[in-house]
Amino acid sequence: MLGVRSGRRLSEGLLLEESEKGRLVVSSVVDGSLANQGLKEGDEIVGATINFDQLSKDDVLKILKLMDDNGFDEKVQVLTKNNLSKSMGTLDSIKAPEELASSFSGENALPSNLRIPSNLVDRARAKRPPPPSDSSLPVLRRCDAAIPVHLSPVQTWVETLERRDSKLLGLVDLHPDVFAVPTRIDILHEVELWQRNFKRISRAHTKVRSEVSGGGRKPWRQKGSGKARHGSIRSPIWRGGGVSHGPRGPTSFYYMLPMKVRVQGLKIALSSKLAQDYLHVVDTLNIPTPDPQYLMDLIRYRHWGESVLIVDAGEELPENILQATESLKTVNVIPAIGLNVHSMLKHEVLVLTLEAVKFLENKLLWHNERFTPLYPFKLPYTDLP
Amino acid sequence: MSFTRKPGGKALDILQNLPRISLANLRPEPGTKKAEKKRGRGQHGGNRSGRGHKGERQRGNRPRLGFEGGQTPFYLAIPKYGYNEGHSRRAQYQPLTLNRLQYLIDLGRVDPTQPIDLTQLVNGRGVTIQPQKRDYGVQLVGEGAGIFAAKVNIEVQMASEEAIAAIERNGGMVTTGFYDPRSLAVLCKPVPFFISGQPIPKRMLPGEDMVPYYTDAANRGYLADPEKIQKARIALAQKYGYILPDISKDELFHMLSMIKDPRQIFFGLSPGWVVNMAEKKILKPTDDKLLQYYSS
C-alpha cells in the first residue's frame, strides 16, 4: 500500500480500492488524523509523492521496478534533493527523467550533490534504444565468426551519407565479443596512458658539475681567506654551477602493454561507443559533394555530436570525403588499421563502414583463439590457430 | 536475476545512462596506484630521511656487503666445494610427462598420425625449449604411464624406462636422438631459420660423455644397433609384464618405423639444402666438396 507523506509516516490509515472505471479510490478512512488532509471516502487519488529518504534500498528498487513495468514516461517525475530544496512551485525547471543518471545501484538516480550545467546535453539528441527484434528492416550483414552459444549478436542500424535526410537502409549484426564487451575503464586508462607515453622521448638534459665549463681549480685557499671553503666554482651550490639531480639526456618512456590488453582496449572502446549510442554504421563513404559544409549539415541534422571519427576498411578512400574532411578539424577519416583508443575517446562519435566492421571483427576476434607467438606474427605460420 | 543472456550484461545497461566515456573520465582502478613516498621533505628542512642518526649509516660510508667488522666473514670462512661448479654449462632437458603428451594428443595440438618430433611439440605449444639457456631438448618422463593410451612414433632426447614401456605397450615407437645447440635452435624454430637463407646444417654427433647413452639399446638410442633395440623391446615387455604388440602388421607401420638419419634434422630435408619460403623452392648444392661435406 502506498504510504502518504505528510511529516509523519501514516501507513495503516488508508484503504484503497479500484473503482469500475479502473481508477484508484479511497474506500475507507480509519485513522482520525487523516481527516486533516481533507481525504474522504470516495476521493479519487490522481497522484502521489513518494519520499525515498526513509525507505530501505530494497523497497525503493521494488517500487521503481513496479513503476517501470507500468510505464515510466510522463506519469512519473523523479526529483533530487537540490530540486526539492527550491520550493515545489518551480517544477518547470526540472529536467525530464531520461537525462538523470546514476553511478550506483544501476537505476535512474543521480547523486544528490551533482550540479549539471544547463548546456551539457544536446536535448534534441535523444538516445535511441537498440533496434527491436521485430523490426521490418533487412539485416544487411550477419557475423562471419561463430558466436558463443550463451550470447547473441548486438544489432544497430545502417545509414547512408548520400543525402542529408535519407532513411535507414537496414540492420547489421555485430559480434558480441567485439561490440558488447563488459566495460573496464581501467583498461581504457592503461591503453590511453600507454599510447601517450610509449612514443615519448624527453630530450631535457642538464649539465652536471663535471660537464659545466671550467671549475677545475680551487677558487681560493682552504684556510685563512675568511671565505667559505670551496673546491670548484661549478659545484651545485654555486650560481652557474652544475645541476646535481637534473634530467639526464634523452630519456625514453617506451614500454609495451601485452598485445591482448591493447586488443581488449579497442574492444571496450567500441562496445562503450555502441552502448552509449555514439556509434553509427554506414554502408559506404560516398558523398555527393566534396563540400565540407555538406558533412557539417548532415552531422548537425542527424544530431550525431560535435566531433566525428569516420573509419573505412581499405587504404583507398573516396576522394570526396577526403577533400571534405581535409579542412575540417573535428571530422576526421582514418583507415581501419589506424583505429586506436585515444582517437575513439577524443572524438564524440564513431562512424564505421560495413567493410570496416568486417575488418575489425576479423582482426580483433583472432586474438581470442590464437597460440602464443614463437616468433613475430609477421613471419609465416603454417597452422596458426 | 542471476543469469543474463545479454552480452555485456548489466554493465552496458548502466553505461547507457552514464555520461560519455571520454579522455576526462578515465581513471585507474582505486587502489592500484599508490603514491610514492617522498623522503625528507618535511618541516625545518626535512628530517633524517630514513638514514638514522650520525655515523657511517647516515653519512653513507658503510663497509662492503659481507664485512663483519674484521672477523673472518662467513663467505671466506667456509671452504669451497664444487657443488655448483659448471652449473651453467650443464645440459638441461625439459621434462615432458605422458600426462601432458596425452593431453596434447586429445586436444588435437599434436598429430599422432605423423612422427612426433620436437618441432611438432613446440608448434603445438606443448613444451617451451630455450636452446640459448643450455637446453639440449626434451626428456620423456613416466608420470601418467597408467593412463597413456596413444600409438605414437616419438623422438625425444632422453627417456625414462617407464615412459618407453608405456609407449611401446600401446604399439608405439620411441627413439632418443642428440641435437647440438645449433641444430636444436633450427629444429625448434624452423621458419626464422629458413628465412635467414642459410643451408640446413648437419647434426653433430654427441660428445664423449653422451655417446654411451645414445649407443645403448635400452635407451632406444639413435646410434644403437636395430637388432639390439628389438631384443631390448622384448626384454622390457617381459620386465613390465605386457605383451609387445607386433607393429609390423599395423597399417601405420611405415609411419611408425620412420627414423631420422644421425645427420638429419628434418624429415624429408637433407643437410646442405636451402629452403626458400617466399618462392616455395628448395635449392640443393651441386659442388663436389659440399656434397662430400654434407654427406659425411
Side-chain angles (χ1 to χ4, degrees):
Chain A
M1 288 276 108
L2 294 172
V4 179
R5 180 182 186 259
S6 63
R8 290 191 287 143
R9 282 187 61 190
L10 307 156
S11 45
E12 287 105 31
L14 210 58
L15 261 177
L16 306 167
E17 78 177 15
E18 230 181 26
S19 73
E20 299 97 8
K21 297 179 204 163
R23 313 267 175 156
L24 206 57
V25 157
V26 176
S27 70
S28 72
V29 178
V30 172
D31 206 355
S33 54
L34 271 183
N36 295 339
Q37 299 226 9
L39 276 175
K40 287 174 284 192
E41 245 181 285
D43 269 357
E44 196 188 287
I45 299 207
V46 177
T49 305
I50 313 172
N51 194 297
F52 289 159
D53 265 348
Q54 284 145 30
L55 291 178
S56 71
K57 181 191 166 203
D58 291 343
D59 290 348
V60 170
L61 288 176
K62 256 192 256 171
I63 293 175
L64 286 175
K65 190 171 174 293
L66 262 177
M67 295 203 273
D68 204 6
D69 290 341
N70 297 335
F72 200 88
D73 308 322
E74 297 91 24
K75 300 178 195 158
V76 179
Q77 260 193 346
V78 180
L79 307 174
T80 58
K81 258 195 208 157
N82 55 355
N83 301 133
L84 280 176
S85 59
K86 310 177 199 163
S87 67
M88 294 294 274
T90 55
L91 279 177
D92 306 324
S93 59
I94 292 165
K95 298 189 206 302
E98 303 95 55
E99 294 171 24
L100 297 175
S102 155
S103 54
F104 28 78
S105 85
E107 309 295 346
N108 308 334
L110 270 181
S112 48
N113 56 354
L114 191 65
R115 287 170 194 277
I116 307 177
S118 54
N119 61 351
L120 183 67
V121 174
D122 178 11
R123 281 163 183 274
R125 186 189 184 280
K127 285 213 171 86
R128 324 171 279 183
S133 46
D134 56 350
S135 167
S136 59
L137 293 168
V139 178
L140 298 180
R141 180 207 170 244
R142 302 241 177 228
C143 292
D144 300 325
I147 301 174
V149 169
H150 65 289
L151 299 172
S152 55
V154 241
Q155 284 190 329
T156 193
W157 292 275
V158 181
E159 310 170 24
T160 37
L161 298 175
E162 300 278 344
R163 284 171 302 281
R164 189 182 80 150
D165 48 354
S166 64
K167 289 190 206 138
L168 306 167
L169 290 183
L171 296 177
V172 62
D173 265 357
L174 301 170
H175 200 288
D177 276 340
V178 174
F179 286 93
V181 169
T183 311
R184 291 273 307 266
I185 299 190
D186 57 323
I187 292 187
L188 287 179
H189 173 79
E190 267 181 30
V191 177
E192 165 63 29
L193 279 186
W194 169 77
Q195 266 191 272
R196 261 197 281 176
N197 285 330
F198 85 105
K199 285 188 272 200
R200 176 177 170 208
I201 300 181
S202 148
R203 297 187 197 278
H205 179 90
T206 53
K207 288 183 164 54
V208 176
R209 61 185 284 174
S210 57
E211 289 169 358
V212 180
S213 209
R217 179 177 55 209
K218 194 167 168 65
W220 45 76
R221 58 185 188 277
Q222 178 80 359
K223 301 186 72 63
S225 67
K227 299 195 219 173
R229 50 190 179 180
H230 288 293
S232 116
I233 55 166
R234 302 300 189 200
S235 103
I237 306 176
W238 282 63
R239 172 193 178 276
V243 178
S244 10
H245 296 294
R248 292 295 292 157
T251 335
S252 151
F253 290 82
Y254 173 81
Y255 67 102
M256 290 307 279
L257 278 180
M259 203 191 294
K260 294 192 185 179
V261 172
R262 289 177 268 141
V263 162
Q264 190 67 14
L266 281 172
K267 289 180 187 167
I268 292 172
L270 287 169
S271 310
S272 57
K273 286 287 180 205
L274 180 63
Q276 299 190 310
D277 197 36
Y278 287 109
L279 182 76
H280 299 268
V281 179
V282 152
D283 59 341
T284 44
L285 292 188
N286 295 326
I287 50 174
T289 54
D291 185 17
Q293 197 52 41
Y294 169 74
L295 267 182
M296 296 303 291
D297 276 341
L298 189 144
I299 292 167
R300 210 148 284 149
Y301 179 81
R302 297 188 189 180
H303 291 288
W304 277 359
E306 282 177 10
S307 49
V308 180
L309 183 66
I310 307 179
V311 182
D312 196 8
E315 291 286 344
E316 302 90 27
L317 303 159
E319 272 195 33
N320 274 351
I321 196 131
L322 281 178
Q323 258 190 308
T325 49
E326 205 170 336
S327 54
L328 287 176
K329 191 171 154 187
T330 52
V331 181
N332 296 309
V333 192
I334 53 168
I337 330 157
L339 192 64
N340 59 87
V341 165
H342 176 82
S343 300
M344 280 203 268
L345 294 176
K346 180 104 180 144
H347 294 80
E348 221 179 287
V349 172
L350 184 65
V351 172
L352 300 173
T353 54
L354 287 175
E355 292 90 35
V357 167
K358 182 173 161 185
F359 176 87
L360 287 171
E361 278 192 8
N362 240 349
K363 288 272 172 177
L364 294 177
L365 284 172
W366 176 73
H367 289 277
N368 283 358
E369 287 180 349
R370 62 166 173 86
F371 273 167
T372 67
L374 291 173
Y375 40 86
F377 285 122
K378 291 199 171 113
L379 302 186
Y381 277 81
T382 42
D383 59 336
L384 193 61
Chain B
M1 210 39 104
S2 56
F3 168 60
T4 155
R5 283 196 169 261
K6 240 169 106 173
K10 290 186 181 174
L12 289 177
D13 284 338
I14 298 173
L15 202 58
Q16 278 164 16
N17 295 324
L18 288 174
R20 172 173 75 95
I21 295 181
S22 71
L23 294 171
N25 280 335
L26 301 179
R27 61 185 77 82
E29 195 73 21
T32 42
K33 306 279 179 187
K34 195 161 174 188
E36 209 184 287
K37 184 176 172 183
K38 295 258 177 177
R39 293 177 185 263
R41 302 285 187 273
Q43 279 180 322
H44 318 303
N47 264 333
R48 295 199 189 91
S49 313
R51 297 288 308 219
H53 176 62
K54 280 198 201 173
E56 285 177 337
R57 292 163 194 246
Q58 194 175 20
R59 292 170 178 143
N61 287 326
R62 278 204 244 208
R64 64 183 179 278
L65 187 68
F67 184 68
E68 290 178 17
Q71 165 182 291
T72 312
F74 172 80
Y75 72 93
L76 289 181
I78 305 296
K80 285 198 209 181
Y81 185 83
Y83 294 111
N84 294 332
E85 173 133 22
H87 75 286
S88 58
R89 277 191 246 181
R90 289 185 201 149
Q92 294 176 0
Y93 295 87
Q94 182 76 5
L96 174 70
T97 53
L98 290 173
N99 269 330
R100 178 110 177 117
L101 185 58
Q102 184 67 54
Y103 174 80
L104 295 170
I105 292 172
D106 288 340
L107 257 59
R109 278 153 69 161
V110 159
D111 189 10
T113 58
Q114 296 292 322
I116 296 183
D117 201 4
L118 188 53
T119 323
Q120 303 308 315
L121 287 170
V122 165
N123 280 351
R125 309 301 190 277
V127 288
T128 309
I129 305 286
Q130 298 167 299
Q132 307 261 26
K133 299 281 181 187
R134 273 72 62 193
D135 270 354
Y136 271 70
V138 100
Q139 57 175 321
L140 211 51
V141 160
E143 187 173 326
I147 56 142
F148 190 74
K151 190 167 65 177
V152 286
N153 174 9
I154 189 161
E155 204 226 22
V156 286
Q157 280 67 57
M158 274 174 126
S160 74
E161 201 182 44
E162 219 182 273
I164 298 175
I167 293 186
E168 290 184 346
R169 181 187 310 145
N170 288 304
M173 279 283 291
V174 195
T175 326
T176 48
F178 174 80
Y179 288 85
D180 56 291
R182 185 176 176 218
S183 312
L184 191 70
V186 169
L187 183 69
C188 289
K189 294 188 183 174
V191 172
F193 174 75
F194 293 146
I195 287 180
S196 71
Q198 296 168 44
I200 298 175
K202 60 177 182 179
R203 210 163 48 151
M204 293 293 134
L205 294 171
E208 246 182 74
D209 46 343
M210 292 309 285
V211 165
Y213 183 87
Y214 287 108
T215 43
D216 194 358
N219 301 326
R220 309 291 185 273
Y222 72 134
L223 299 172
D225 204 358
E227 285 156 39
K228 289 197 185 144
I229 289 183
Q230 192 52 34
K231 282 189 206 157
R233 280 165 62 90
I234 299 168
L236 199 67
Q238 277 185 344
K239 177 177 176 184
Y240 277 81
Y242 59 87
I243 304 168
L244 186 67
D246 194 3
I247 53 170
S248 54
K249 303 210 171 69
D250 204 332
E251 51 188 11
L252 290 170
F253 173 61
H254 174 73
M255 184 280 288
L256 287 174
S257 58
M258 274 168 87
I259 298 182
K260 287 185 197 170
D261 187 65
R263 293 290 194 183
Q264 191 187 20
I265 298 183
F266 298 108
F267 279 118
L269 294 174
S270 276
W273 293 0
V274 179
V275 174
N276 186 341
M277 293 211 64
E279 289 162 31
K280 306 227 164 99
K281 287 188 184 154
I282 297 180
L283 309 167
K284 303 181 191 177
T286 46
D287 192 32
D288 281 334
K289 281 191 191 160
L290 283 174
L291 286 170
Q292 214 180 9
Y293 169 76
Y294 281 118
S295 58
S296 63

